[in-house]
Amino acid sequence: MNYISADFRIQHLSYYKLVIQAGHQEDVLMIMDQENAVQAYIRYASASPSVDATRLLALPFRHVSIMIPQHSLTFVPAEAYQEEDEDIYGEYLVNKNDQDIYTVDMPRFQLHAIYQLDSLLYQRWYTLFPDATYLPIFQVLFDLVPEDVPSVDTQLFLHEQAGHMHVMLLKEGRFLFYNSFYVTNAADLGYYVRRIMSDFSVPSLDEIQLFNLEKNDPLLAFVQKFSAQLVRVKLPEADVDHHAVHQSAPLFGTLFQRELCV
């Protein structure tokens, strides 16, 4: 259900926060006030934005955070990363010479990520908001993994967006795997998860943590057999100062929670 609060005021734009989940098929926008109360939440087809979405996106927001799918991604262990070797790492990306390459240090997981954004989506949104903060999906998801992940458990984290399932595997609190897969049904997801478990010699999962999926989502029909527990990730509040690499990440935690409610 789309929502615009009766308390929404254009004169408050200077401190409103506009949060956007960008996609090729569907976009989601959310506006939050100083107290992080949701003032607007709208989902719409990317190719045909609603009148309300068009009007809101035309406003001159000062604080804009946009989550963009990554086009290409590779990880380097922190102990092995050398800044002068970024050209070498770039060889593992899809379009090294055709797109900008970004890097981000992820000390909590002892990783350094080298990535490219989806250039078509980035250019589309950059035209509207050149000064916005742009975050790849993987960084938001890593930032939203709870700090108190049990160190003895094997956990799988799942986030679905526009037919793509983002999958992360942790074992004893240590990062093992992340990738995204296009899925159309429960059998697709079950195949990918079983293959990941096999590749990493994981006979069963202690927990499957869900970012923006209900426990009874039809996509989970097969993977729920791999674990006795399906739980929602306890997402941080938007104003909590925590371990996140980027301060905008908790805003998307609020957006994901909103997705579960509408």
Side-chain angles (χ1 to χ4, degrees):
M1 181 179 68
N2 292 339
Y3 164 80
I4 299 178
S5 170
D7 296 327
F8 179 83
R9 297 291 183 270
I10 292 179
Q11 57 266 36
H12 295 167
L13 287 183
S14 61
Y15 61 79
Y16 279 168
K17 297 181 282 280
L18 173 62
V19 183
I20 297 169
Q21 180 176 272
H24 287 290
Q25 298 177 338
E26 181 182 71
D27 297 325
V28 183
L29 71 83
M30 181 179 69
I31 299 170
M32 303 172 69
D33 63 17
Q34 273 185 316
E35 285 72 43
N36 291 323
V38 176
Q39 294 296 313
Y41 177 93
I42 300 178
R43 303 175 72 117
Y44 59 91
S46 302
S48 55
S50 65
V51 172
D52 285 337
T54 301
R55 289 174 176 169
L56 291 174
L57 292 173
L59 297 175
F61 290 93
R62 291 179 56 188
H63 309 288
V64 183
S65 300
I66 304 176
M67 186 176 73
I68 298 276
Q70 62 270 3
H71 172 72
S72 188
L73 169 68
T74 189
F75 294 109
V76 179
E79 67 269 19
Y81 176 79
Q82 298 292 331
E83 186 175 353
E84 59 269 23
D85 291 336
E86 284 188 1
D87 281 346
I88 298 175
Y89 306 142
E91 297 293 341
Y92 293 92
L93 302 178
V94 175
N95 294 326
K96 175 188 174 184
N97 298 319
D98 298 328
Q99 291 178 259
D100 291 332
I101 295 175
Y102 306 91
T103 64
V104 60
D105 184 23
M106 308 175 74
R108 180 183 170 205
F109 296 97
Q110 301 177 14
L111 294 173
H112 205 95
I114 298 94
Y115 67 95
Q116 296 167 311
L117 293 173
D118 185 306
S119 60
L120 292 177
L121 283 179
Y122 175 74
Q123 289 301 325
R124 188 182 97 196
W125 286 102
Y126 184 82
T127 300
L128 288 175
F129 302 108
D131 298 321
T133 293
Y134 291 89
L135 296 177
I137 290 180
F138 81 87
Q139 183 179 342
V140 171
L141 299 182
F142 275 67
D143 276 352
L144 291 178
V145 171
E147 295 182 76
D148 57 351
V149 173
S151 60
V152 296
D153 291 339
T154 301
Q155 293 179 305
L156 193 78
F157 293 81
L158 299 176
H159 170 81
E160 189 276 333
Q161 184 193 23
H164 285 83
M165 189 68 69
H166 298 262
V167 183
M168 184 194 318
L169 180 66
L170 299 183
K171 184 174 179 62
E172 299 179 351
R174 181 171 54 90
F175 169 79
L176 288 185
F177 176 88
Y178 165 85
N179 207 341
S180 61
F181 307 95
Y182 181 71
V183 298
T184 59
N185 53 52
D188 284 350
L189 180 58
Y191 167 80
Y192 288 124
V193 171
R194 173 53 74 188
R195 179 62 185 268
I196 293 166
M197 293 171 64
S198 175
D199 288 347
F200 287 92
S201 300
V202 175
S204 63
L205 298 163
D206 294 288
E207 286 184 344
I208 298 176
Q209 297 256 1
L210 311 173
F211 279 104
N212 66 338
L213 293 162
E214 296 281 4
K215 296 179 184 179
N216 60 353
D217 193 295
L219 284 173
L220 304 175
F222 285 98
V223 299
Q224 64 184 351
K225 300 175 183 178
F226 304 150
S227 172
Q229 288 206 65
L230 269 72
V231 296
R232 290 185 190 172
V233 174
K234 185 179 180 181
L235 296 169
E237 297 297 328
D239 58 350
V240 171
D241 181 17
H242 73 321
H243 66 268
V245 174
H246 198 282
Q247 62 184 2
S248 292
L251 300 177
F252 291 97
T254 303
L255 184 148
F256 296 160
Q257 291 182 74
R258 185 78 188 184
E259 286 182 327
L260 286 168
C261 297
V262 297

